[in-house]
Amino acid sequence: MTQTTPAHLEYVLRLGDAALIHGQRLSEWCGHAPVLEEDLALANMALDFVGQARMLLSHAGVLEGKGRDEDTLAFLRHEGQYRNPTLCEMPNTDFAHTMIKGFLLGSFNLLMWSRLCGSSDEALAAIAAKSLKEARYHVEHTGDWVIRLGDGTEESHRRAQAALDMLWPYTNELFAANPTDDAAAAAGVGPAWSDLAEDWEKAVLAVLKHATLTVPARTPFQSYGKFGRHSEHLGHLLAVMQHLPRSFPGATW
Amino acid sequence: MLTEAQAWQALDAVEDPEIPVVSVTELGIVREVILGEDGLRVVVTPTYSGCPATEMIAESIVDALKAAGAGKVSVETRLAPPWSTDWIAESAREKLRAYGIVPPQPALPDGAQVVRFMSRKLPCPRCGSSHTTRLSEFGSTACKSLYRCEDCREPFEYFKPI
């Protein structure tokens, strides 16, 4: 186990918060998906992400060494203390939007977990090896849907393209260089996220092409969720997610 | 005080709560049983990160060992190496099939590519026909997908290799 540095903790929090917030958004579909099979699929993927978040946030609590556990970190932090990329917190609209978002994030996770299997942080490497197996199924499922919707009917293509146009600018943030990543990479904790950009784009573009979707041009737009500056949507998400432990402090069942 | 062999024997009777024909030892999630001065420690590797049965399994393990005469029992989680369907015992595969779940094919090797529009030709566990269709990548639990037999028209599940 490597010495814990602020960058190390920050790096793990970004991963944990990304899994938690994406998992929460997926869970919002429960009972609302277009067909029963997708209701099950979305809820099952949400469980995987929340499970990964539990392991990552527990580990972050250990790294921090202030006695905070997974629940304290998930339920008792404020908006500005969350480190998930903004893309994760984008509100659900239609099914195409969720599949495109899940595919963009899932493809990123697949590369990330694969690299993190070799982390100098043994606990993180163990979480990565486990999550990698799950991520393959997430990418398979969402990728299939991206192709089916994009190369589907006029209406499904229109919706998939609109979702891609809306979400694409937020992927800039995933690969933005920053000192936390530099320090984590130097310590062998994990790759700088920007290192994954090329492989991610290659994997994603191949599927988008199959899906007959047009990849939007890159713009200078930047979002800053992983630096703690979020869109207006995260606060609303947290209000729902944290409602119970905030209303009944210390409640257990 | 239980011997290690007796402890394993007691664990052989602990069912998976979601697939009650298979025991936790056949599922391959019990990694180690350690007899120590501070009691019995059971090391368990979870199947999926978000498997909702994890806590129930830990409780069942403690209950079964105490019923068998163990004193203090604790359950520890070990993540690495990650659980694989390859660890499911041979004896469990026929039980799964008889229960209506097609047992997993070998897990994908590390670094395997994601497959698009996978069409595994799975034999229906009821009538044996290989004229089957996948309905959903995810079934009633994260570890299974949902299929339908086009001949006998019955739905069935497939334990996904992981």
Side-chain angles (χ1 to χ4, degrees), chain A residues 44 130 134 137 139-140 144, chain B residues 47 49 116-118 137 142 161:
Chain A
N44 272 315
K130 176 141 210 65
E134 294 161 358
Y137 280 109
V139 173
E140 182 186 326
D144 279 359
Chain B
T47 54
S49 301
R116 301 254 92 82
F117 294 118
M118 183 169 357
E137 179 69 57

Side-chain angles (χ1 to χ4, degrees), chain B residues 2 10 34 37-38 55 74 91 95 101 105 121 131 160:
Chain B
L2 288 182
I34 306 159
E37 284 174 14
D38 53 346
E55 270 128 33
S74 59
S91 61
K95 291 184 195 170
I101 301 172
Q105 290 171 354
K121 281 296 158 202
H131 188 206
K160 291 188 283 186

Side-chain angles (χ1 to χ4, degrees), chain A residues 37 40-41 44-45 47-48 51-52 54-55 103 110 126-127 129-131 133-134 136-141 143-144 147-148 207, chain B residues 46-50 55 79-80 82-84 109-112 114-118 134-139 141-142 160-162:
Chain A
E37 287 78 6
L40 292 171
N44 272 315
M45 286 192 283
L47 270 176
D48 283 345
Q52 292 167 7
R54 289 185 61 184
M55 297 190 287
F103 175 68
L110 200 57
I127 297 169
K130 176 141 210 65
S131 306
K133 288 165 173 270
E134 294 161 358
R136 287 202 190 106
Y137 280 109
H138 303 160
V139 173
E140 182 186 326
H141 188 70
D144 279 359
I147 294 172
R148 188 175 296 175
V207 170
Chain B
T47 54
Y48 278 74
S49 301
E55 270 128 33
L79 291 182
W83 181 78
S84 163
D110 285 342
V114 171
V115 185
R116 301 254 92 82
F117 294 118
M118 183 169 357
R134 191 179 75 190
L135 296 179
S136 177
E137 179 69 57
F138 295 82
T141 61
K160 291 188 283 186
I162 193 169

Side-chain angles (χ1 to χ4, degrees), chain A residues 24-39:
Chain A
Q24 174 71 13
R25 279 289 185 228
L26 286 176
S27 76
E28 290 172 10
W29 274 101
C30 196
H32 299 278
V35 289
L36 182 60
E37 287 78 6
E38 284 312 305
D39 216 77

Side-chain angles (χ1 to χ4, degrees), chain A residues 57-207:
Chain A
L57 292 180
S58 294
H59 182 49
V62 172
L63 290 175
E64 186 189 46
K66 289 182 184 165
R68 293 206 282 183
D69 63 8
E70 51 179 284
D71 286 338
T72 318
L73 286 170
F75 295 125
L76 298 176
R77 276 182 300 155
H78 295 288
E79 187 186 334
Q81 295 165 321
Y82 275 81
R83 292 294 181 264
N84 59 284
T86 310
L87 180 61
C88 304
E89 74 210 34
M90 285 294 116
N92 296 338
T93 55
D94 60 16
F95 182 69
H97 180 272
T98 291
M99 287 299 119
I100 297 269
K101 183 165 70 164
F103 175 68
L104 297 176
L105 278 169
S107 304
F108 177 79
N109 290 337
L110 200 57
L111 293 166
M112 180 57 102
W113 297 135
S114 163
R115 290 283 292 273
L116 284 174
C117 287
S119 172
S120 60
D121 176 343
E122 276 179 30
L124 185 57
I127 297 169
K130 176 141 210 65
S131 306
L132 174 61
K133 288 165 173 270
E134 294 161 358
R136 287 202 190 106
Y137 280 109
H138 303 160
V139 173
E140 182 186 326
H141 188 70
T142 53
D144 279 359
W145 270 113
V146 168
I147 294 172
R148 188 175 296 175
L149 294 169
D151 192 16
T153 64
E154 204 175 305
E155 177 67 1
S156 72
H157 177 88
R158 183 187 67 76
R159 285 173 180 255
Q161 186 65 55
L164 183 64
D165 292 345
M166 189 271 160
L167 295 168
W168 189 256
Y170 290 95
T171 62
N172 282 348
E173 181 190 332
L174 298 176
F175 308 109
N178 61 91
T180 296
D181 274 9
D182 295 342
V189 172
W193 290 20
S194 55
D195 270 6
L196 307 177
E198 205 178 309
D199 287 345
W200 176 85
E201 197 154 304
K202 211 171 126 197
V204 164
L205 293 190
V207 170

Side-chain angles (χ1 to χ4, degrees), chain B residues 45-144:
Chain B
T45 293
T47 54
Y48 278 74
S49 301
C51 178
T54 309
E55 270 128 33
M56 188 168 170
I57 289 173
E59 278 176 31
S60 309
I61 286 175
V62 172
D63 291 347
L65 289 169
K66 287 199 165 159
K72 192 164 171 253
V73 181
S74 59
V75 177
E76 282 171 29
T77 301
R78 182 185 294 164
L79 291 182
W83 181 78
S84 163
T85 38
D86 292 348
W87 295 357
I88 295 177
E90 203 52 46
S91 61
R93 302 176 69 86
E94 206 36 56
K95 291 184 195 170
L96 283 172
R97 204 188 318 271
Y99 190 61
I101 301 172
V102 178
Q105 290 171 354
L108 293 172
D110 285 342
Q113 294 298 304
V114 171
V115 185
R116 301 254 92 82
F117 294 118
M118 183 169 357
S119 69
R120 290 193 187 90
K121 281 296 158 202
L122 295 175
C124 168
R126 291 187 175 81
C127 73
S129 164
S130 56
H131 188 206
T132 57
T133 312
R134 191 179 75 190
L135 296 179
S136 177
E137 179 69 57
F138 295 82
S140 58
T141 61
C143 54
K144 289 172 280 173

